[in-house]
Amino acid sequence: MADTSESAQGDRVRQLEADARRSGMRITPHTTTIIQILDESTDHPTAEDIFERARERDPSISSASVYRILNKLEESDLVRRQRLDSDRFRYEIADECRHHLVDLDTGQVVGITDPEIDELKDKIAKRHGYEIVDFRLELFGRKTGGGS
Amino acid sequence: MADTSESAQGDRVRQLEADARRSGMRITPHTTTIIQILDESTDHPTAEDIFERARERDPSISSASVYRILNKLEESDLVRRQRLDSDRFRYEIADECRHHLVDLDTGQVVGITDPEIDELKDKIAKRHGYEIVDFRLELFGRKTGGGS
DNA sequence: TTAATTGCAAATGGTTTGCTTTTGC
DNA sequence: GCAAAAGCAAACCATTTGCAATTAA
């Protein structure tokens, strides 16, 4: 979650619901559940992860609904999906950072926000004569020093 | 191809065959065909692309063989595969650059080799306390100026 | 010789879709 | 009321795999 205070969490959920409604989605209980799970998750979950977490709160939800809701949220640019190391898509709220460091020992995915990344992007865009619409940096590695 | 002279091309094919043989592969006519196609391709082809190009030279080849040969070459670290924009893997010889700029209008994939990318990687690795084993930068954009 | 490779067809597995019923607004 | 969303099961489709026949070394 972007903010640790409870009200800010609720705010983000409410904001996302409002944005989703504005882009034509109906806010069903399932929709709210999925948005809440995304809001609470910091581990870049797969659709299956999200499905399992959603079932704990609402056992009637189907995986087809999870996929459909996630796709709608992505089409509305509220959620971003991308493949990291695995064959499955991982999902995260679109305002979160889009660059990742994957720990090869633990599978943990860490968001990267270093400002030099954008500077590099601008430099490359200029050099190659492109307007960059989207981009991502993916790193795979292991902890040094105290790490395993 | 990394070099434009014909002898250098043949050299790279021969080198890859030798490396493949050293890592336990048998060099069949299909293997040579796949390696030649990879050596000649600058467009980061998918397995299906490679299959089509291979069939023009040897109509008896099956897609299963293409996949198996590509997987063997990847296990030997002679070929790298990654997903860019599409659902399919794209393949390229491992000594080629691993960063890409995808033209959203044409689908063309351009290799990026700017040295600042490695500098940024080193900076981030140090900052986060990781040893980076692999990494990639993927950019999606459109040509500016004369572009559509 | 003999273990690796091949083609074919079937299996996999994450994601999507068709259909009918239910529901948000 | 009606278009959107739901569950279920079937369809998709890129990639993998089992098997029997072939082949590189």
Side-chain angles (χ1 to χ4, degrees):
Chain A
M1 4 183 185
D3 193 302
T4 49
S5 78
E6 277 187 28
S7 63
Q9 286 176 42
D11 279 353
R12 188 158 77 145
V13 169
R14 263 177 257 121
Q15 182 65 52
L16 285 165
E17 286 180 344
D19 291 341
R21 190 178 288 110
R22 197 169 306 120
S23 73
M25 289 178 68
R26 283 187 189 167
I27 306 306
T28 68
H30 289 347
T31 312
T32 300
T33 299
I34 300 295
I35 290 177
Q36 284 174 345
I37 288 168
L38 288 170
D39 177 61
E40 295 162 11
S41 300
T42 60
D43 61 342
H44 312 268
T46 64
E48 197 188 344
D49 294 332
I50 295 167
F51 177 43
E52 284 170 10
R53 292 172 202 180
R55 257 206 302 206
E56 290 171 9
R57 307 177 188 203
D58 180 353
S60 75
I61 196 171
S62 69
S63 69
S65 291
V66 172
Y67 278 109
R68 274 193 273 235
I69 290 169
L70 288 171
N71 285 344
K72 288 252 159 70
L73 291 171
E74 200 210 1
E75 285 161 24
S76 308
D77 287 319
L78 301 174
V79 158
R80 180 170 48 242
R81 80 173 190 181
Q82 59 188 279
R83 300 189 196 262
L84 296 175
D85 50 324
S86 78
D87 286 343
R88 301 140 179 235
F89 286 112
R90 287 173 174 270
Y91 297 82
E92 63 192 337
I93 293 177
D95 63 13
E96 292 173 357
C97 66
R98 63 195 65 210
H99 311 297
H100 302 92
L101 171 54
V102 180
D103 189 311
L104 291 172
D105 291 321
T106 67
Q108 193 189 20
V109 178
V110 183
I112 300 277
T113 57
D114 307 70
E116 296 100 321
I117 301 174
D118 272 310
E119 293 166 20
L120 176 61
K121 174 209 67 170
D122 292 335
K123 207 177 288 184
I124 290 175
K126 194 171 191 178
R127 186 175 303 154
H128 292 264
Y130 271 76
E131 172 204 1
I132 301 304
V133 174
D134 193 15
F135 76 116
R136 58 190 64 109
L137 177 66
E138 294 172 22
L139 302 148
F140 304 87
R142 301 174 212 285
K143 274 208 172 83
T144 55
S148 76
Chain B
M1 350 174 203
D3 193 301
T4 48
S5 78
E6 278 187 27
S7 63
Q9 286 177 42
D11 279 354
R12 188 157 78 146
V13 169
R14 264 177 255 121
Q15 181 66 52
L16 284 166
E17 285 180 345
D19 291 341
R21 190 179 287 109
R22 196 170 304 120
S23 73
M25 289 178 67
R26 283 187 187 167
I27 306 307
T28 68
H30 289 346
T31 312
T32 300
T33 299
I34 299 295
I35 289 177
Q36 284 174 346
I37 288 169
L38 289 170
D39 176 61
E40 296 161 11
S41 300
T42 60
D43 62 341
H44 312 269
T46 64
E48 197 188 344
D49 294 331
I50 295 167
F51 177 44
E52 284 169 10
R53 292 171 202 181
R55 258 207 300 208
E56 290 170 9
R57 307 176 190 204
D58 179 354
S60 74
I61 195 169
S62 69
S63 69
S65 290
V66 172
Y67 279 109
R68 274 191 276 234
I69 291 169
L70 288 171
N71 285 344
K72 289 251 158 73
L73 290 171
E74 199 210 2
E75 285 161 25
S76 308
D77 287 319
L78 301 175
V79 158
R80 180 171 48 243
R81 78 174 192 182
Q82 58 188 278
R83 300 189 195 264
L84 296 174
D85 49 322
S86 78
D87 286 342
R88 302 144 179 230
F89 286 111
R90 287 173 175 270
Y91 298 82
E92 62 192 337
I93 293 176
D95 62 14
E96 292 174 356
C97 67
R98 65 195 65 210
H99 311 297
H100 303 93
L101 171 54
V102 179
D103 189 310
L104 291 172
D105 291 321
T106 67
Q108 191 189 21
V109 178
V110 183
I112 301 277
T113 56
D114 306 71
E116 296 101 320
I117 301 173
D118 273 309
E119 292 167 19
L120 176 61
K121 174 209 66 172
D122 292 335
K123 209 178 284 184
I124 290 174
K126 195 170 189 179
R127 187 175 302 154
H128 292 264
Y130 271 76
E131 173 205 1
I132 301 304
V133 174
D134 193 15
F135 77 115
R136 58 189 63 110
L137 176 67
E138 293 172 21
L139 302 150
F140 304 87
R142 303 175 209 283
K143 275 208 172 84
T144 56
S148 76

